[in-house]
Amino acid sequence: METGSKGPRFALTRFLLDRFILGELVGPFFFGIMAFTVILVAGTLLFQIADLIIKQGVSLGVVIRLFLYSLPGVITLTIPMSCLLAALLGFGKLSANSEIVALKGAGVSFRRIVRPVVAVSVVIAVFAFITNETLVPLCKKAAQNVMRYEVLTAQVPLFKRQVFFKEHRHGQLERVIYVEEIHPQSGKMSGIIVQEFEDGRLKRIMLAPRGDWQGGNWWVDDGKVFEISEEGNVHLLFRFKRQVMRLTLDPSQVEKTAMNPNEMDLFELYELIKISQMQGSDTAELWTMLHLRISVPWASVILALVGAALGCRPQRSASGVSLGVAIIIVFIYYVIMSFAQSLGDAGSLPPAVAAWTPNVLFFIVGWFLAVRAERFA
């Protein structure tokens, strides 16, 4: 009976401890959101806004809309930085007031102290990921439309030029399709060349001046088929008025290849990668971008752990010092991320390794600092 009565009291104690620790981090977190947003806006957006107003004479209303559309993307970038700053300031204050020493004296380990911070940062990371895959792409598309139609007054390209598709079977090249021009909205294409290979040798070539999308299939008109002999001689096999061309992409998929990957959500980006692979394009950069879209939000958890471990030192309690430390750490993180991304884009590193390298390195540093904090805080 006594054990049962201790259970609720113990749970209440844990709840109050978690609430107390998180209460020290809420203010610094939102301060970090505002501070880092101002830094990023002042460093990039303000110059673009000034250029639009002064040089191009864009109205203030259009500029304000562009600014508002840009904010969600900026804020999602500041979330990991804010988690770091919140942990630095919050734990710095707890350490400066000897509250961490008191908690450890009461038998509360640093691992237990930091647990609510990690748990909440996981929730924040999930929120940042969802926002980055829903709201941010919509805002980027809206901003792009404003730039196209109201600032640059340019028409969106209605066609895609010089499209290649490659098909392989059992590791060997089977067919190469080249289309000079495709109009995804109307489903029409022109300048079609199809090369068919057998055992690595060019066997047949089909030429057609035009084609279109009808009844769920691509049709080509007024074409010719040539055969290539082993000696390299070319002779006409037959002509045709109209026939089906086997192609796995429909016009909507072709249209997606003309979209900006930064304006896509994760599923659209994955589909673009598959389409690009069918076209025989190098997809290393797209794969790296996809993995980064997953890995970067989780920097919130890792940087929060680093900040909590560093914040245990009393000399980090000053907000100005903590802000400076946070900027330095974030700078190092993004330098490593940019370097690894470049290696991933170039194919020197597997895309997944390139995208997750900064998180892995900072997790190791955070774990080392947490072990030290466990021993000496």
Side-chain angles (χ1 to χ4, degrees):
M1 192 69 181
E2 186 177 347
T3 305
S5 64
K6 286 183 178 180
R9 289 202 299 270
F10 181 64
L12 179 61
T13 302
R14 290 190 301 175
F15 171 75
L16 292 175
L17 174 62
D18 293 345
R19 183 179 176 183
F20 168 69
I21 293 171
L22 293 177
E24 297 293 333
L25 273 62
V26 172
F29 176 76
F30 287 105
F31 168 75
I33 292 285
M34 291 186 291
F36 287 117
T37 299
V38 169
I39 292 172
L40 291 179
V41 167
T44 56
L45 289 181
L46 283 184
F47 292 102
Q48 297 175 9
I49 290 172
D51 183 73
L52 289 173
I53 294 175
I54 297 172
K55 292 185 179 180
Q56 301 188 37
V58 179
S59 68
L60 184 61
V62 171
V63 169
I64 290 174
R65 284 161 57 203
L66 286 173
F67 174 76
L68 293 177
Y69 289 145
S70 302
L71 274 183
V74 174
I75 290 174
T76 54
L77 283 177
T78 65
I79 287 177
M81 309 177 194
S82 302
C83 288
L84 171 65
L85 181 63
L88 278 169
L89 286 173
F91 276 76
K93 182 178 178 182
L94 292 173
S95 181
N97 295 334
S98 300
E99 287 165 318
I100 289 183
V101 175
L103 287 171
K104 288 183 67 67
V108 181
S109 66
F110 178 78
R111 183 181 304 176
R112 178 62 189 85
I113 296 171
V114 82
R115 187 184 301 171
V117 179
V118 173
V120 171
S121 63
V122 168
V123 174
I124 291 173
V126 172
F127 170 78
F129 174 78
I130 293 173
T131 303
N132 209 35
E133 296 306 315
T134 53
L135 181 61
V136 173
L138 289 176
C139 289
K140 286 184 177 180
K141 289 176 184 177
Q144 191 66 28
N145 287 335
V146 171
M147 289 295 295
R148 283 171 177 167
Y149 297 117
E150 300 185 43
V151 177
L152 303 177
T153 62
Q155 292 290 330
V156 179
L158 299 178
F159 58 87
K160 187 170 177 62
R161 297 184 62 89
Q162 298 180 345
V163 181
F164 282 91
F165 303 93
K166 292 182 180 179
E167 295 181 357
H168 294 80
R169 177 177 292 181
H170 306 304
Q172 287 192 337
L173 182 64
E174 182 182 38
R175 199 165 62 139
V176 176
I177 301 171
Y178 170 80
V179 181
E180 176 65 26
E181 192 172 290
I182 293 184
H183 297 251
Q185 294 183 356
S186 63
K188 295 185 180 299
M189 56 183 174
S190 60
I192 304 151
I193 302 174
V194 180
Q195 297 176 318
E196 296 183 357
F197 294 81
E198 290 183 6
D199 299 325
R201 185 178 69 84
L202 180 61
K203 185 71 175 179
R204 282 175 295 275
I205 298 177
M206 185 201 75
L207 304 177
R210 60 187 174 276
D212 58 3
W213 173 266
Q214 285 188 8
N217 291 303
W218 290 103
W219 292 82
V220 290
D221 300 323
D222 301 324
K224 302 176 183 178
V225 177
F226 299 88
E227 186 175 48
I228 316 296
S229 67
E230 293 185 1
E231 293 77 20
N233 298 320
V234 180
H235 65 274
L236 179 66
L237 272 182
F238 60 87
R239 301 172 185 265
F240 60 87
K241 195 68 179 174
R242 186 171 175 82
Q243 75 173 23
V244 172
M245 182 177 71
R246 178 169 53 90
L247 185 60
T248 54
L249 300 184
D250 58 39
S252 64
Q253 292 174 312
V254 173
E255 189 173 18
K256 284 181 179 178
T257 62
M259 293 175 59
N260 186 345
N262 291 318
E263 298 174 8
M264 297 180 176
D265 60 33
L266 207 60
F267 297 104
E268 291 174 331
L269 184 57
Y270 180 75
E271 187 174 357
L272 174 63
I273 291 172
K274 293 303 179 184
I275 294 171
S276 299
Q277 287 177 334
M278 293 174 59
Q279 294 179 337
S281 303
D282 184 9
T283 57
E285 185 173 350
L286 293 175
W287 274 117
T288 304
M289 181 185 297
L290 184 142
H291 284 287
L292 280 171
R293 296 273 281 271
I294 300 172
S295 67
V296 170
W298 293 103
S300 301
V301 182
I302 295 167
L303 293 181
L305 176 64
V306 172
L310 284 176
C312 287
R313 301 178 181 182
Q315 63 267 28
R316 303 297 185 201
S317 59
S319 59
V321 174
S322 296
L323 180 61
V325 171
I327 291 174
I328 292 172
I329 293 173
V330 167
F331 175 77
I332 295 172
Y333 178 89
Y334 281 104
V335 165
I336 294 174
M337 186 182 73
S338 299
F339 182 70
Q341 182 180 0
S342 298
L343 293 176
D345 291 346
S348 301
L349 278 179
V353 174
W356 288 93
T357 291
N359 284 1
V360 172
L361 292 178
F362 272 76
F363 177 77
I364 294 172
V365 172
W367 186 265
F368 173 76
L369 293 173
V371 170
R372 286 180 59 86
E374 181 75 48
R375 294 175 180 175
F376 305 114

